[in-house]
């Protein structure tokens, strides 16, 4: 585990399974239809319960499919987290992947702030099924957190939960690049 301070935020990097993390919200790397089949989405619904899929289906019925970069919130069922924030990352090849990841993270953080949450945990958005290079995801994600740290409101702690050794290493390298002069 590595720890950085930036503006009003504590930013942590750990290897692990995000479904086990205790935080006000964990973020899901979702698709536009909030159909949580594989990857981190599948793990969140398997562990948290079907209520997360049911609330997601209700959101889609009410507002239609999400856009890349949108973020919405459901409860978290049996998870230790209180809420799940679902955000949609880009698929490799669609263009502007880094700035779309930036917006997904920024919108997730703004939602957490508007709900008065203190802690939020993120997986490495778009680096699994969506095949974006971990370096690109790390750049966009960390830059979004760094910019948000200027006015974080209620949010005190952001936790990156990285599932593999490789991706953990890439995120730590990017963090030391961007967060050392915070
Ligand atoms: N905890 C933390 N990270 C995890 C976990 C976990 N339990 N499980 C996987 N990862 P992905 P995407 C990592 O595929 O690329 C889904 O089907 C994984 O190693 O979950 O944004 C959705 O429904 C990778 O580094 O998300 C969408 O259709 C990272 O989480 C689509 O995949 C993201 O991998 C979204 O694709």
């Amino acid at each position: 585990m590595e720890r950085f301070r930036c503006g009003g935020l504590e930013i942590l990097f750990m290897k692990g399974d995000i479904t086990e993390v205790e935080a006000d919200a964990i973020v899901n790397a979702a698709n536009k239809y909030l159909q949580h089949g594989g990857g981190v989405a599948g793990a969140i619904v398997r562990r948290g319960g079907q209520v997360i899929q049911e609330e997601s289906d209700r959101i889609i019925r009410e507002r239609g499919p999400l856009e890349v970069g949108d973020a919405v919130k459901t409860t978290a069922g049996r998870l230790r987290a209180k809420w799940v924030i679902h955000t949609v990352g880009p698929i490799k090849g669609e263009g502007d992947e880094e700035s779309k990841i930036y917006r997904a993270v920024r919108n997730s953080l703004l939602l957490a702030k508007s709900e008065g949450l203190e802690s939020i945990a993120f997986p490495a958005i778009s680096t699994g099924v969506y095949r974006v290079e971990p370096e690109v995801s790390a750049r966009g994600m960390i830059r979004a957190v760094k910019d948000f740290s200027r006015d974080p409101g209620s949010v005190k702690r952001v936790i990156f939960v990285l599932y593999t050794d490789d991706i953990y290493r890439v995120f730590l390298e990017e963090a030391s690049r961007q967060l050392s002069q915070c």
Side-chain angles (χ1 to χ4, degrees):
M1 167 123 78
E2 293 283 337
R3 189 182 307 259
F4 295 80
R5 287 217 66 97
C6 193
L9 285 182
E10 177 181 39
I11 306 170
L12 302 173
F13 292 81
M14 57 181 281
K15 244 203 78 184
D17 179 344
I18 202 165
T19 65
E20 292 171 2
V21 169
E22 198 178 334
D24 288 339
I26 63 169
V27 175
N28 178 23
N31 56 48
K32 292 178 180 176
Y33 307 98
L34 300 181
Q35 288 301 308
H36 311 307
V40 73
I44 286 172
V45 171
R46 270 196 307 280
R47 252 190 119 125
Q50 205 50 36
V51 63
I52 299 171
Q53 184 63 66
E54 287 161 9
E55 286 183 37
S56 297
D57 292 343
R58 201 172 313 135
I59 291 169
I60 296 298
R61 274 199 305 276
E62 280 166 10
R63 59 173 275 177
L66 305 189
E67 306 276 351
V68 174
D70 284 348
V72 298
K73 165 173 127 341
T74 67
T75 54
R78 295 186 298 268
L79 296 176
R80 294 167 77 192
K82 298 194 186 88
W83 305 99
V84 179
I85 291 177
H86 306 265
T87 194
V88 183
I91 301 172
K92 182 180 164 62
E94 67 177 54
D96 287 334
E97 286 91 345
E98 187 179 327
S99 55
K100 288 174 178 169
I101 288 169
Y102 177 97
R103 279 209 301 121
V105 171
R106 179 162 180 80
N107 286 332
S108 300
L109 291 165
L110 289 173
L111 181 54
K113 176 177 157 179
S114 74
E115 299 283 334
L117 306 187
E118 288 190 10
S119 56
I120 177 170
F122 285 91
I125 306 238
S126 290
T127 61
V129 175
Y130 283 177
R131 300 186 324 276
V132 171
E133 297 83 351
E135 290 78 4
V136 173
S137 180
R139 277 202 301 273
M141 291 193 75
I142 294 170
R143 190 160 55 83
V145 174
K146 184 174 179 176
D147 290 350
F148 177 78
S149 73
R150 289 200 282 265
D151 187 14
S154 60
V155 180
K156 295 184 164 41
R157 192 172 329 112
V158 176
I159 310 156
F160 286 91
V161 185
L162 294 326
Y163 205 51
T164 66
D165 286 323
D166 281 2
I167 295 183
Y168 179 66
R169 186 175 40 73
V170 168
F171 272 69
L172 271 190
E173 278 170 17
E174 187 58 31
S176 48
R177 223 167 277 136
Q178 289 197 39
L179 303 179
S180 316
Q181 324 92 311
C182 255

